[in-house]
Amino acid sequence: MKIFVSVDMEGVSGLTDPEEMRAGGRGYERGCELMTGDANAAIRAAFDASAAEVVVADAHGGGRNLRADLIDPRCTLVRGPYKPMRMAEGLDASFDAAVYVGYHARAGTARGVLNHTWMGREIHNVHLNGRIAGEILLMAAYAGTLGVPVALVTGDAAACAEAREVLGDVPAVAVKTGSDRYAAALVPPARAQQMIYEAGRDALSEVANWRTCEVDPPYTLRVEWNATAIAQSCAVIPGVELVGPRTTEFTTDDYTQIVGLLGVCATIAGDVGCTGRHYG
């Protein structure tokens, strides 16, 4: 069995402060350790469920957050910025299942801890084929185009609810429950990581509980940006159409282009519009 683990940071146990997500921010180094702890719980679960290979993608920001010196040595770690498939770098059709650790709810979700979609402040909303989409749908759909089901999602309670909205009765572990965007009732990390391990071991041992996200082509990605300057800059990319003062749209039959375009547009948006706090 071959398992892909994508690890974001906002849904990691113990974290609620935007500073903990940002290199150089207060608590960031400890945040990286907690992120690695949640990842290791999922990795250990995969191997104990008889996985022969586990590939782990650092899916937060620039992809330099998971502690390479603390990660389970049995896995392969994919890290670094500007990965072509960003949060899904390393995933292909050879994998049996995907696991999403530390994921969060889409932008605008009530009580969603650190809720956003792809970027902290530059994006208001994303729609995929007319359906409002967060990172769970975007990444699960990419896995689905490869024929790879999702076996487990971990994050805050709002992220787990979103995962079930997208994937049906998929196994999910809520490690915190938001009272607002930056505040939550936490399951202490040691217990949360044990929960991730136990749920992951059980989920990866029961193929019947895996869920595949199926989105039919052609794929249309609509992004509502927070500024006209970002939308206009992204519309320079061939195939991207400006459909409103700050809204772009792109249609393709190749879902890898959807993921790749999000990465390129995020780079442009960061240069054009990011002048303050990442989640402010």
Side-chain angles (χ1 to χ4, degrees):
M1 186 168 62
K2 187 177 180 182
I3 303 299
F4 178 77
V5 182
S6 176
V7 190
D8 205 354
M9 199 169 189
E10 287 83 1
V12 163
S13 63
L15 303 182
T16 59
D17 188 336
E19 290 294 302
E20 296 168 331
M21 312 294 142
R22 181 181 62 82
R26 180 183 63 254
Y28 171 72
E29 295 301 330
R30 178 58 179 155
C32 290
E33 293 177 3
L34 291 171
M35 181 183 181
T36 308
D38 281 16
N40 279 339
I43 296 165
R44 182 164 62 97
F47 281 114
D48 285 358
S50 300
E53 182 178 355
V54 178
V55 175
V56 180
D58 188 324
H60 178 72
R64 294 168 290 198
N65 313 282
L66 287 170
R67 288 280 301 270
D69 58 329
L70 298 178
I71 201 79
D72 191 311
R74 295 172 293 178
C75 79
T76 298
L77 175 62
V78 179
R79 71 187 304 272
Y82 308 116
K83 301 183 291 292
M85 291 296 101
R86 304 297 169 122
M87 301 178 77
E89 184 70 17
L91 179 63
D92 60 37
S94 69
F95 285 85
D96 294 285
V99 171
Y100 298 138
V101 173
Y103 270 55
H104 54 81
R106 62 179 177 258
T109 300
R111 300 184 184 275
V113 181
L114 296 163
N115 68 83
H116 67 281
T117 301
W118 208 257
M119 303 188 75
R121 60 179 293 167
E122 290 81 6
I123 292 177
H124 280 309
N125 282 307
V126 172
H127 287 81
L128 178 64
N129 286 12
R131 180 181 181 183
I132 193 165
E135 292 166 32
I136 294 171
L137 173 56
L138 292 167
M139 291 298 99
Y142 178 55
T145 66
L146 299 171
V148 178
V150 177
L152 177 72
V153 177
T154 83
D156 70 307
C160 292
E162 186 173 319
R164 293 189 176 107
E165 176 187 312
V166 169
L167 292 159
D169 192 22
V170 67
V173 178
V175 300
K176 51 194 168 187
T177 301
S179 55
D180 201 348
R181 199 181 191 197
Y182 306 125
L186 304 173
V187 177
R191 179 155 55 92
Q193 289 164 14
Q194 183 63 25
M195 290 164 55
I196 292 170
Y197 167 74
E198 292 175 358
R201 180 197 58 201
D202 293 346
L204 289 167
S205 299
E206 186 52 72
V207 177
N209 291 331
W210 301 356
R211 297 289 182 266
T212 302
C213 180
E214 297 180 355
V215 179
D216 295 329
Y219 310 107
T220 297
L221 182 76
R222 176 182 282 245
V223 183
E224 180 187 355
W225 303 94
N226 78 342
T228 56
I230 297 174
Q232 291 175 5
S233 296
C234 291
V236 173
I237 300 171
V240 177
E241 181 181 0
L242 192 66
V243 296
R246 52 189 177 89
T247 303
T248 57
E249 195 168 277
F250 175 75
T251 299
T252 179
D253 287 325
D254 182 356
Y255 199 91
T256 62
Q257 293 182 0
I258 294 289
V259 180
L261 179 72
L262 275 166
V264 172
C265 286
T267 300
I268 293 171
D271 287 340
V272 173
C274 187
T275 58
R277 289 169 61 93
H278 289 272
Y279 301 93

